[in-house]
Amino acid sequence: MLGFDWYLQINLKARHLRLLATIDTYRNLTQVADITHVTVPAVSKSLAELERGLGLTLFSRTAHGLVPTPYGDCLIRHARAMLTILHQARDDLKALSSGTEGKVYIGMLPASASVLLPQALSILKQRSPDTNVMVIEGTTASLLPELWQGRLDLVVGRLPPPADTHGSFEEKELLEEPVALMTGHNHPLASRKTIKWSDLLPYPWILPPPGSILRDPLERVLEAHDVPLTNNYIETLSIHVARAQLQVSDFIAVLASTPANDTTQPLHMLPLSLPRLLRPAGVLWNRNRGLTPSAQLMVSCLEEAAQRLLTGLGTTRRGVSPSAKARRIHQSPDAR
């Protein structure tokens, strides 16, 4: 084991990390050689040296190519994480050497951050024009693993239930924003001052996809009011698709009030009360990695944007103070 430790700490190089990631991607030495611009014997020799130094078999040679062993899977996972950190270090060094402020990688939950994040980005560019941002849209299921592995600095949107995060992240609540039943202004129900739950039965729905934060609690509420979901629906996380569809059809959607109140495409809020289906909008980051200065600046801009939105929503919406202390959640052993 001492030799194993020595090899990892002294002999493991960045080229070994790249080799592992490339072999895992292509599973074929000829393709790996083409991609890395070396010969097949050279690739085979490098892999053999790595396995010999570790004293472990990392890949099984099969008729279908190279297949990672459990040791290989473990090391590949860490290799990719380390390569991500090296790439981010490269970007930060380039930014510093060119006089810019760095780059922030943000995952966005589109249905719940479509207003908050753009406002925060505007504030960021006013404060620090040379701080650049990459924004990737996705679901909680797709973005949280990226955040855990270090490929994202932040995830912005509705905070997921604590059970979904496995206690791996720190979070900051930014804005309490209720959801409501929405239609277009030409919907048959839009002209009625009072409606019953049963009045919803004839109409199709715009639904969040299965596995998204809102889907399960929404289905439970509708079932409780004897409004089963029919086979006539559209599933999307895109607030833009939902808004456009509501304008030209008789669909019903459940949307947050801020994007729904956009004056360019106003929607109608049906007079039916929904319970609190979701946690507040907020920001998450990996508690073990901390925040870069650029990411810290982005969090500050998100706080300011939330405060502006809270002021705009007025007293009818309850906001979470952006200055509230970030909630640190204990990391569970299975978070990895």
Side-chain angles (χ1 to χ4, degrees), residues 181-185 189-192 266-271:
L181 295 167
M182 297 288 182
T183 69
H185 274 280
L189 297 179
S191 60
R192 296 171 55 175
L267 298 177
H268 177 75
M269 183 184 299
L270 295 178

Side-chain angles (χ1 to χ4, degrees), residues 190-211:
S191 60
R192 296 171 55 175
K193 293 183 179 180
T194 61
I195 62 173
K196 304 184 297 295
W197 285 94
S198 59
D199 294 330
L200 308 180
L201 289 171
Y203 300 104
W205 287 84
I206 299 174
L207 300 172

Side-chain angles (χ1 to χ4, degrees), residues 129-332:
D130 293 330
T131 298
N132 297 312
V133 180
M134 176 180 286
V135 179
I136 299 172
E137 290 190 354
T139 63
T140 303
S142 66
L143 295 178
L144 290 188
E146 298 292 297
L147 183 62
W148 174 251
Q149 294 172 22
R151 288 190 280 270
L152 294 174
D153 295 310
L154 305 168
V155 168
V156 179
R158 289 281 181 178
L159 294 173
D164 291 354
T165 65
H166 304 291
S168 308
F169 308 104
E170 286 193 29
E171 65 177 38
K172 185 181 287 288
E173 296 182 355
L174 295 172
L175 189 67
E176 183 82 48
E177 190 179 23
V179 295
L181 295 167
M182 297 288 182
T183 69
H185 274 280
N186 295 322
H187 193 283
L189 297 179
S191 60
R192 296 171 55 175
K193 293 183 179 180
T194 61
I195 62 173
K196 304 184 297 295
W197 285 94
S198 59
D199 294 330
L200 308 180
L201 289 171
Y203 300 104
W205 287 84
I206 299 174
L207 300 172
S212 55
I213 296 175
L214 181 57
R215 181 62 176 262
D216 286 345
L218 172 60
E219 287 189 4
R220 288 195 295 269
V221 168
L222 294 178
E223 289 173 2
H225 289 89
D226 295 322
V227 184
L229 292 176
T230 67
N231 291 327
N232 189 359
Y233 58 82
I234 295 171
E235 293 177 327
T236 182
L237 283 175
S238 170
I239 184 67
H240 306 293
V241 171
R243 292 180 57 83
Q245 188 64 34
L246 291 177
Q247 297 294 337
V248 298
S249 70
D250 290 344
F251 277 75
I252 300 172
V254 177
L255 299 174
S257 56
T258 299
N261 287 334
D262 185 347
T263 56
T264 60
Q265 283 185 312
L267 298 177
H268 177 75
M269 183 184 299
L270 295 178
L272 288 173
S273 177
L274 288 174
R276 187 178 188 261
L277 299 180
L278 299 172
R279 299 186 64 210
V283 57
L284 288 161
W285 62 90
N286 189 323
R287 60 173 298 191
N288 291 331
R289 296 182 184 276
L291 293 174
T292 65
S294 298
Q296 290 176 352
L297 176 60
M298 188 70 236
V299 171
S300 174
C301 294
L302 285 163
E303 290 181 303
E304 183 172 335
Q307 186 60 59
R308 292 183 184 182
L309 286 171
L310 177 59
T311 301
L313 289 171
T315 57
T316 60
R317 301 287 188 265
R318 182 173 63 87
V320 179
S321 172
S323 61
K325 184 178 180 181
R327 181 179 302 170
R328 176 161 295 190
I329 308 174
H330 176 68
Q331 180 182 4
S332 66

